[in-house]
Amino acid sequence: MKAEPAETPKSKPRINIPEGAMVILPLRNAVLFPSTIMPLVVGRPASLQAIEETVRQQLPVGFVGQRDPAVENPTSQDLYNIGTAADILRMFSLPDGQRQIIAQGRRRFEIAEFLQVDPMLIARVTMVEETIPQTKEFEARIVNLRQEASRALSLLPEPMNELKTTIERIEDPLMLIDMIASTLDIPTAEKQELLATLDPVTRAQRVSEKLARQIEVLELSKKISEETKDSMTKAQRQYFLREQLKAIQKELGEEDGKGVEAEDLRQKIFDAKMPPEVEKEALNELNRLQRMPEGGPEYSSLRTYFDWLVELPWSVLTKEEIDLPKAREILDTDHYGLEKVKKRIIEFLAVRKLMPEGKSPILCLVGPPGVGKTSLGQSIARAMNRKFVRQSLGGVHDEADIRGHRRTYIGSLPGNIIQGIRKAGSRNPVFMLDEIDKLSASFHGDPSAALLEVLDPSQNNTFQDHYLAVPFDLSQVLFIATANVLDTIPGPLRDRMEILEVPGYIEDDKLAIAKGFLIPRQTVENGLKPEQIHFTDEAIREIIRSYTREAGVRQLERELGAVCRSVAARVAEGLTEPITIDAESIVNYLGQKKFFNEIGLRTSLPGVATGLAWTPVGGDILFVEVTKMSGEGRLILTGQLGDVMKESAQAALSLVKSRAETLGIDPEVFRKNDLHIHLPAGAIPKDGPSAGTTLFVALVSLLTGRRVSKDVAMTGEISLRGLVLPVGGIREKILAAKRAGITHVLLPELNRRDIDEIPPAARAGMRFEFLKTVDDALLLALESNGASSGFEAAERPAADAIP
Ligand code: ADP
């Protein structure tokens, strides 16, 4: 026996193995055939002990297959009863305590009876005597088997030359059969069956059947792998050709860097995971790029194109998750007030949660600047776990701004939409279309038509940007629009959108926003700790009143930032105690007041009236000044008045003339004088009919010499018959009046209902009176100085006041 034990334990007592008996080692998932060599790993403690013992006593081991490989400690019933006696050629210790052995199969045996089960299996065995059948059929079968075996070996993907030579050379046919049986790729149970087939003729026949089947399988798999190889070689061929091309280009002195760049681009194209048709187009363009001379204008413009193409998030999506309570929390943490808007946004999110694929309306947030439209959009994105991106449409008047220019234009780029998508870095961001009311059409084409396509769910999955020239899927984008005013939004676009008004803030709102949001933010941004600076409420109110005049809170935030900055500078200089900012100290930080109540000053003379105007940036007060000089009855209008306002001024004058007598105005005045109406703040264009009442009152004030009360402001269109007609923007106008210190507001009777929309806090301290005719306005607005007025206090019309 040739066992060469690596280590031989000497101390343990010998276990007695009687004559004719053998230590049995169960084999899982394997069959050891006589004449074959097999490496095995022994791990079970009982088996380890058995191996050690047989090696020590230099005895053969009986390997017997285990019926169920899952059984951990097999007993006699779990084993087959035919096995192979083997010598252990080598034994190695493995790091994990297991042993690897190399076993050499010698002879078949049959188990007669088990003598011992514990601590190892020992059985009495009968060796199987085998003789070679001396028939022609058997001889022929062996010849055939040898041929088939070498054929099978040649079909293997990895040729096993050694085995092939062995099979060709073995003389003993029984050895050959066992050798082939051991190499067959068949289930263990089938192999065991071959081992247990004791008649050599039957065994040879069965092995040859199984071999035939194996050959079929091998042939089939070879065919399949050759087919795959065909397509492989195509790619390889291309690669090869490209390499050649590179070599040729190098030879011709064309930079090799280009080839490297092209390879890099090719990889990026694959990495971008574009839709198949886009990828195909990209690869076509890449081929074109490779043929172009580098450094030419065409090359660099195509190169820029690729930068766009590969950097678009073709397949990047963030996972949308809408958690309504969390969304509510996000909206509340980011914004003070705005209850109506927040409620609508939550409803919008709830519907999306229930019907993620459903068509949802496009929200359009309408309101003056600085009221939090953008920041609402950001919160929506956060609440939906989407990226946020914003593109301004202000000043867009060309279709190409939306869709991009074709690449044939020098310096062309993709349009706003694709630019935004690239900025967002995902295919499903919240996309804010800012200032959609500032879109305008021109001879270059109507951008709103292109925008309609962008917003249309049935078309936008194949949005075509002229520059890209391949479709991009916008269907997962959530568009939100913002606007300052509604009426300039093109009709068809407006129909697509659900309008959410975000109104301007009253002073109390601003105070709360400043305390809860703006001051904390500015404190941190300027490197201060919250305990280092404190604003009193009065200080904040002073900033709101005297340093800002706006519907939103942008200017307010800037001014607060300026205060924080100067405090930060003092802290940097070594100041240690906390600073309290009160109303009196504001001037030290922000300089002289920027706004003060100029109304008293302005209206101290007859001929000036205060109107209320509504502008895209919120409401504002507006002065109408009238003066007369000797002339020939002309009307001069200055202050950038629009056509409608000019007509309105004409109408007011006609109305005054027609009532001259009642009003006690000498009709000669109109003939001998020119009248000049001026609306200061000339740089700001003014238009609309709503200044009619103010114009009329200012004219009468001048011509009758009666001053307009300084706490009064008014709005209302007039008819030639003297009726006061309703106007829009009441809320913003009233907020503006309040900001400017007006306490008495005259409104058209037909706007009475609009007052209800205004929060009581905003109305506090103000008196509203409603006008049916211009006469009501005169009575309420003009001071009675006893001059040429035709009215007495008793004659006051039935205009009732709301305090
Ligand atoms: P818009 O887009 O309407 O012009 P922004 O969203 O840019 O306005 O708002 C300007 C600033 O005012 C932002 O810093 C915003 O956070 C803040 N702001 C506006 N409204 C509120 C509010 N209700 N609560 C908290 N902060 C607000």
Side-chain angles (χ1 to χ4, degrees):
M1 138 128 231
K2 300 178 203 142
E4 289 176 15
E7 39 184 314
T8 315
K10 300 237 155 48
S11 48
K12 286 192 192 148
R14 254 170 184 256
I15 284 181
N16 185 27
I17 299 162
E19 192 71 16
M22 208 180 264
V23 172
I24 300 295
L25 223 60
L27 272 182
R28 349 183 196 209
N29 287 326
V31 178
L32 178 66
F33 282 89
S35 323
T36 61
I37 294 177
M38 189 187 251
L40 290 163
V41 173
V42 184
R44 296 190 262 213
S47 304
L48 280 171
Q49 204 187 341
I51 285 285
E52 271 165 20
E53 194 57 39
T54 51
V55 167
R56 196 143 65 111
Q57 299 191 31
Q58 304 203 338
L59 290 172
V61 191
F63 286 97
V64 181
Q66 181 177 326
R67 291 176 205 274
D68 177 1
V71 176
E72 202 40 52
N73 289 309
T75 59
S76 49
Q77 290 91 346
D78 297 319
L79 302 177
Y80 291 111
N81 69 334
I82 304 260
T84 303
D87 293 332
I88 307 300
L89 299 187
R90 269 184 216 291
M91 180 161 79
F92 315 95
S93 298
L94 296 177
D96 52 2
Q98 303 193 20
R99 295 283 167 87
Q100 176 158 57
I101 55 170
I102 309 242
Q104 160 85 66
R106 298 289 179 196
R107 279 175 72 185
R108 281 181 173 74
F109 64 81
E110 194 168 358
I111 294 176
E113 72 177 307
F114 277 92
L115 302 176
Q116 182 187 315
V117 177
D118 202 44
M120 64 190 74
L121 294 160
I122 298 179
R124 201 161 52 72
V125 300
T126 323
M127 288 298 163
V128 176
E129 291 298 332
E130 297 192 65
T131 42
I132 304 168
Q134 299 299 332
T135 61
K136 285 236 167 54
E137 290 85 66
F138 185 71
E139 220 171 285
R141 167 84 60 203
I142 295 300
V143 171
N144 173 268
L145 201 56
R146 212 188 286 273
Q147 284 171 352
E148 291 296 279
S150 73
R151 186 160 152 228
L153 284 174
S154 63
L155 285 171
L156 291 175
E158 308 263 326
M160 298 169 78
N161 291 332
E162 230 172 292
L163 187 59
K164 211 170 156 193
T165 339
T166 320
I167 284 175
E168 276 160 11
R169 294 209 184 131
I170 290 177
E171 283 176 5
D172 183 337
L174 297 181
M175 253 169 132
L176 180 73
I177 300 170
D178 281 341
M179 179 81 75
I180 294 172
S182 75
T183 55
L184 285 174
D185 188 11
I186 52 175
T188 314
E190 284 185 35
K191 272 194 181 171
Q192 174 68 34
E193 222 178 284
L194 291 177
L195 182 75
T197 309
L198 298 182
D199 171 32
V201 181
T202 328
R203 195 190 305 153
Q205 189 195 331
R206 288 196 183 153
V207 168
S208 117
E209 278 165 16
K210 297 206 189 284
L211 185 60
R213 231 186 117 234
Q214 190 119 44
I215 289 174
E216 260 177 59
V217 173
L218 281 172
E219 277 179 338
L220 209 66
S221 88
K222 187 171 175 188
K223 198 171 150 227
I224 295 171
S225 87
E226 258 159 21
E227 277 171 11
T228 355
K229 211 157 140 202
D230 261 359
S231 58
M232 278 282 291
T233 34
K234 200 173 156 201
Q236 278 166 346
R237 226 168 73 92
Q238 280 185 351
Y239 174 76
F240 180 68
L241 287 176
R242 268 202 302 278
E243 289 297 301
Q244 268 189 332
L245 190 69
K246 262 195 243 169
I248 293 170
Q249 281 171 337
K250 204 169 172 184
E251 197 74 4
L252 290 174
E254 291 174 9
E255 253 295 307
D256 184 41
K258 194 170 112 181
V260 177
E261 187 173 40
E263 273 323 298
D264 182 42
L265 278 178
R266 187 181 310 275
Q267 192 53 46
K268 283 186 176 156
I269 291 172
F270 292 132
D271 291 347
K273 300 207 181 65
M274 307 168 172
E277 70 279 8
V278 176
E279 184 178 291
K280 197 168 148 219
E281 184 60 32
L283 291 174
N284 282 344
E285 289 295 277
L286 185 61
N287 283 339
R288 219 159 64 81
L289 183 81
Q290 280 177 292
R291 291 196 303 270
M292 279 177 191
E294 199 174 356
E298 235 194 312
Y299 183 90
S300 71
S301 95
L302 193 53
R303 188 65 194 73
T304 317
Y305 172 70
F306 274 107
D307 285 342
W308 277 98
L309 209 57
V310 300
E311 274 174 37
L312 283 179
W314 294 98
S315 54
V316 186
L317 285 166
T318 56
K319 189 170 169 352
E320 173 169 311
E321 39 194 62
I322 302 177
D323 174 350
L324 293 176
K326 200 178 121 213
R328 174 83 223 188
E329 197 186 306
I330 290 178
L331 285 174
D332 283 342
T333 355
D334 295 352
H335 302 96
Y336 165 86
L338 299 174
E339 281 316 314
K340 236 163 118 180
V341 182
K342 285 183 192 165
K343 181 162 168 277
R344 182 60 193 98
I345 291 176
I346 292 291
E347 284 166 12
F348 171 84
L349 293 178
V351 173
R352 276 206 63 98
K353 190 181 165 84
L354 294 179
M355 289 197 307
E357 301 305 324
K359 277 190 193 177
S360 45
I362 289 148
L363 295 181
C364 179
L365 302 166
V366 180
V371 291
K373 301 184 294 295
T374 310
S375 102
L376 280 169
Q378 284 164 333
S379 299
I380 295 176
R382 211 144 67 81
M384 300 176 85
N385 189 34
R386 287 171 177 245
K387 296 263 174 67
F388 177 82
V389 63
R390 174 177 154 218
Q391 285 286 8
S392 176
L393 300 180
V396 164
H397 54 79
D398 187 342
E399 192 201 350
D401 292 328
I402 305 288
R403 269 184 197 287
H405 281 289
R406 283 177 214 290
R407 264 183 289 145
T408 41
Y409 285 87
I410 306 245
S412 54
L413 277 181
N416 266 330
I417 303 296
I418 290 297
Q419 295 199 15
I421 292 288
R422 171 159 141 180
K423 243 197 285 177
S426 93
R427 199 155 61 75
N428 64 339
V430 167
F431 197 126
M432 180 165 270
L433 299 164
D434 233 353
E435 308 195 298
I436 204 164
D437 53 333
K438 307 280 192 310
L439 271 186
S440 57
S442 74
F443 64 92
H444 287 302
D446 185 357
S448 69
L451 205 54
L452 270 177
E453 196 188 310
V454 168
L455 298 178
D456 183 353
S458 64
Q459 297 186 53
N460 68 6
N461 57 344
T462 54
F463 172 69
Q464 286 273 358
D465 181 279
H466 290 323
Y467 180 82
L468 282 192
V470 286
F472 191 91
D473 181 1
L474 295 175
S475 60
Q476 307 286 314
V477 178
L478 183 84
F479 287 103
I480 295 182
T482 78
N484 291 143
V485 291
L486 266 185
D487 27 320
T488 54
I489 304 177
L493 266 181
R494 204 174 139 174
D495 290 346
R496 281 286 155 77
M497 301 191 291
E498 171 162 344
I499 307 297
L500 277 184
E501 303 229 22
V502 192
Y505 297 117
I506 60 170
E507 192 177 297
D508 290 346
D509 291 339
K510 291 183 182 176
L511 178 69
I513 294 172
K515 284 164 70 173
F517 300 87
L518 310 181
I519 294 175
R521 184 160 57 217
Q522 286 303 325
T523 308
V524 174
E525 274 180 17
N526 287 292
L528 292 172
K529 296 199 184 71
E531 60 274 13
Q532 286 174 311
I533 183 166
H534 172 71
F535 287 83
T536 65
D537 284 7
E538 271 318 306
I540 302 171
R541 283 188 197 276
E542 172 64 12
I543 298 179
I544 296 172
R545 282 181 207 146
S546 305
Y547 294 85
T548 71
R549 185 155 289 173
E550 58 179 352
V553 292
R554 271 202 200 151
Q555 184 66 23
L556 176 60
E557 183 163 13
R558 268 198 290 273
E559 300 295 341
L560 290 167
V563 177
C564 291
R565 252 194 320 283
S566 31
V567 172
R570 288 173 59 188
V571 169
E573 282 163 12
L575 177 94
T576 47
E577 48 299 358
I579 292 195
T580 296
I581 314 284
D582 56 21
E584 288 69 46
S585 60
I586 292 290
V587 65
N588 302 330
Y589 294 99
L590 298 179
Q592 287 308 316
K593 296 181 183 193
K594 293 186 180 149
F595 301 97
F596 43 88
N597 195 340
E598 54 193 335
I599 298 166
L601 209 66
R602 298 260 197 162
T603 53
S604 57
L605 290 173
V608 182
T610 313
L612 293 173
W614 181 67
T615 68
V617 299
D620 206 350
I621 56 166
L622 160 124
F623 297 102
V624 174
E625 298 176 351
V626 190
T627 187
K628 70 174 194 293
M629 54 223 137
S630 51
E632 42 212 38
R634 278 178 304 173
L635 176 64
I636 303 159
L637 298 169
T638 53
Q640 284 236 37
L641 310 192
D643 287 344
V644 179
M645 196 174 261
K646 283 183 187 157
E647 286 168 9
S648 186
Q650 291 281 2
L653 180 59
S654 302
L655 198 56
V656 177
K657 283 181 182 168
S658 70
R659 304 188 164 211
E661 211 170 322
T662 340
L663 292 168
I665 301 168
D666 177 6
E668 280 300 296
V669 176
F670 301 110
R671 226 169 299 135
K672 293 185 186 149
N673 293 286
D674 287 343
L675 285 168
H676 184 171
I677 300 182
H678 178 62
L679 276 76
I684 304 163
K686 307 165 195 78
D687 205 359
S690 74
T693 314
T694 324
L695 289 161
F696 176 78
V697 170
L699 280 167
V700 175
S701 160
L702 176 82
L703 298 173
T704 60
R706 289 164 64 188
R707 285 187 311 199
V708 177
S709 330
K710 64 179 190 317
D711 54 358
V712 146
M714 66 204 83
T715 182
E717 186 177 350
I718 47 170
S719 78
L720 274 183
R721 309 284 310 278
L723 296 176
V724 177
L725 307 175
V727 292
I730 295 295
R731 185 192 154 103
E732 298 300 336
K733 285 175 176 173
I734 287 173
L735 295 185
K738 181 153 178 130
R739 281 199 290 276
I742 301 276
T743 53
H744 188 185
V745 178
L746 309 184
L747 301 168
E749 172 64 35
L750 289 172
N751 282 117
R752 191 186 278 270
R753 276 182 317 155
D754 297 327
I755 292 290
D756 300 337
E757 299 258 311
I758 295 159
R763 284 190 266 159
M766 294 183 95
R767 189 151 60 93
F768 299 96
E769 286 179 294
F770 301 95
L771 316 171
K772 291 194 179 100
T773 68
V774 287
D775 301 320
D776 299 346
L778 294 180
L779 273 173
L780 295 164
L782 295 185
E783 286 179 358
S784 61
N785 57 2
S788 48
S789 159
F791 295 97
E792 290 302 319
E795 284 179 74
R796 283 191 141 214
D800 44 348
I802 297 183

